[in-house]
Amino acid sequence: QAPHMLSLVADSGFSCKPTDLHSICFTLQLVVIPAGVPRKPGMTRDDLFNINAGIVKTLVEGVAKYCPKAW
């Protein structure tokens, strides 16, 4: 049985802007992006998708540039 993932890694607790990625990403081996905004009243699912897709796109582009070996 494989050990639980949380027992193998320490959470660095990074919370940053996409412009800060260059200073923290060079040592990362795993990147988890739990980004997104909650749906607000009057917002369509398409609105929500477009906002969240933009957030993820920006972060993924930064991760690809500054830590391309990360999962």
Side-chain angles (χ1 to χ4, degrees), residues 36-49 51-52:
V37 296
R39 188 172 176 192
K40 297 176 181 160
M43 183 183 280
T44 68
R45 290 179 187 262
D46 287 342
D47 294 336
L48 181 63
F49 176 83
I51 291 169
N52 287 338

Side-chain angles (χ1 to χ4, degrees), residues 8-62:
L8 299 176
V9 266
D11 177 11
S12 299
F14 287 118
S15 179
C16 67
K17 301 174 193 168
T19 55
D20 297 332
L21 288 173
H22 67 280
S23 63
I24 61 168
C25 280
F26 63 93
T27 61
L28 298 180
Q29 295 176 356
L30 176 67
V31 177
V32 178
I33 303 175
V37 296
R39 188 172 176 192
K40 297 176 181 160
M43 183 183 280
T44 68
R45 290 179 187 262
D46 287 342
D47 294 336
L48 181 63
F49 176 83
N50 289 330
I51 291 169
N52 287 338
I55 292 169
V56 172
K57 178 182 182 285
T58 301
L59 292 172
V60 168
E61 287 171 347

